[in-house]
Amino acid sequence: MYVPNHFDESRTEVLHDLIKHHPFGILFTHGASGLDANHIPFELDPQQGEMGVLHAHVARANPVWQDVSNGDEVLVVFRVADAYVSPTWYPSKHEFHKQVPTWNYVVAHAYGRITIRDDERFVRGLVARLTRTHEASQPTPWKMTDSSKEYIDTMLKAIVGLEIEITRLVGKSKLSQNKEVRDIRSAGETLKAQGDRVIGDAMLACADAKPA
């Protein structure tokens, strides 16, 4: 990924937080059958390894876990949000007519080495943790024990675990940081007004942090 200096986000703790709050990633592999991409929810353990470890699972019927070998390099892309930015939203455009359209976004790329975990204990623990995390906001959280042991055992046998030790994290936060403060603020306010609150708020935070 091309990352100009003004869009670079290389702080590990910031990228870990991004992954934690936006855990649905795209796993890119290059196995025996060639390039593949799978959309998977991940769990990050920031305490494992030097840069953290990602855990996930796929359907046993999904060929990806047999298409790669332990130790193969993979890439997981996590995306926060994106938004189109019109040059008409920049006050400077109306003065100097030297702005063009762009697209702003916030993403993290996690490179790592994959290990297949066809292990019932690993998968059971992972599913339990993912369930606790993502059911926590529900009025009546679903628990694995809400279903019969036989049913859960059958479902767990139908999935395979994945473990990815992160070897490199690359972050890009493209929020018009290379523009004037008034331009960043105007575009951010326009995005918020039209409903693109995530990128809009992020741009306004950039404007607040940038010297006028």
Side-chain angles (χ1 to χ4, degrees), residues 72-150:
D72 281 357
E73 186 176 28
V74 299
L75 167 64
V76 186
V77 174
F78 297 94
R79 169 189 167 277
V80 173
D82 67 89
Y84 172 77
V85 178
S86 170
T88 62
W89 302 344
Y90 297 137
S92 66
K93 179 267 179 190
H94 303 283
E95 294 178 21
F96 307 111
H97 304 287
K98 291 184 177 180
Q99 298 288 0
V100 295
T102 193
W103 210 289
N104 282 351
Y105 52 92
V106 179
V107 295
H109 289 192
Y111 297 83
R113 300 287 177 181
I114 194 168
T115 299
I116 307 304
R117 297 293 301 270
D118 191 5
D119 173 347
E120 190 270 347
R121 184 177 178 182
F122 174 89
V123 170
R124 184 180 294 273
L126 171 61
V127 171
R129 292 191 301 274
L130 287 172
T131 299
R132 284 196 298 270
T133 297
H134 298 293
E135 284 287 324
S137 62
Q138 297 302 309
T140 306
W142 180 87
K143 305 180 297 297
M144 292 175 70
T145 53
D146 288 348
S147 298
S148 70
K149 181 180 182 303
E150 292 74 20

Side-chain angles (χ1 to χ4, degrees), residues 18-193:
L18 184 157
I19 293 170
K20 177 182 176 182
H21 289 96
H22 303 276
F24 193 68
I26 306 174
L27 169 65
F28 292 95
T29 57
H30 193 186
S33 301
L35 285 170
D36 193 12
N38 283 270
H39 302 256
I40 306 171
F42 285 86
E43 175 199 52
L44 170 67
D45 184 343
Q47 304 304 319
Q48 277 190 272
E50 291 187 10
M51 304 195 74
V53 172
L54 295 168
H55 298 138
H57 65 275
V58 294
R60 187 171 293 277
N62 187 332
V64 65
W65 69 276
Q66 294 176 310
D67 199 48
V68 296
S69 300
N70 288 340
D72 281 357
E73 186 176 28
V74 299
L75 167 64
V76 186
V77 174
F78 297 94
R79 169 189 167 277
V80 173
D82 67 89
Y84 172 77
V85 178
S86 170
T88 62
W89 302 344
Y90 297 137
S92 66
K93 179 267 179 190
H94 303 283
E95 294 178 21
F96 307 111
H97 304 287
K98 291 184 177 180
Q99 298 288 0
V100 295
T102 193
W103 210 289
N104 282 351
Y105 52 92
V106 179
V107 295
H109 289 192
Y111 297 83
R113 300 287 177 181
I114 194 168
T115 299
I116 307 304
R117 297 293 301 270
D118 191 5
D119 173 347
E120 190 270 347
R121 184 177 178 182
F122 174 89
V123 170
R124 184 180 294 273
L126 171 61
V127 171
R129 292 191 301 274
L130 287 172
T131 299
R132 284 196 298 270
T133 297
H134 298 293
E135 284 287 324
S137 62
Q138 297 302 309
T140 306
W142 180 87
K143 305 180 297 297
M144 292 175 70
T145 53
D146 288 348
S147 298
S148 70
K149 181 180 182 303
E150 292 74 20
Y151 175 76
I152 294 297
D153 288 348
T154 298
M155 297 301 292
L156 291 176
K157 289 175 183 176
I159 58 179
V160 177
L162 306 176
E163 184 173 84
I164 300 169
E165 182 176 2
I166 299 173
T167 56
R168 182 161 60 106
L169 278 170
V170 179
K172 186 171 184 178
S173 184
K174 184 176 181 296
L175 300 167
S176 299
Q177 297 96 319
N178 55 331
K179 306 296 184 184
E180 295 180 34
V181 170
R182 59 174 178 159
D183 288 340
I184 302 172
R185 190 176 304 283
S186 176
E189 289 172 347
T190 303
L191 284 172
K192 286 190 66 175

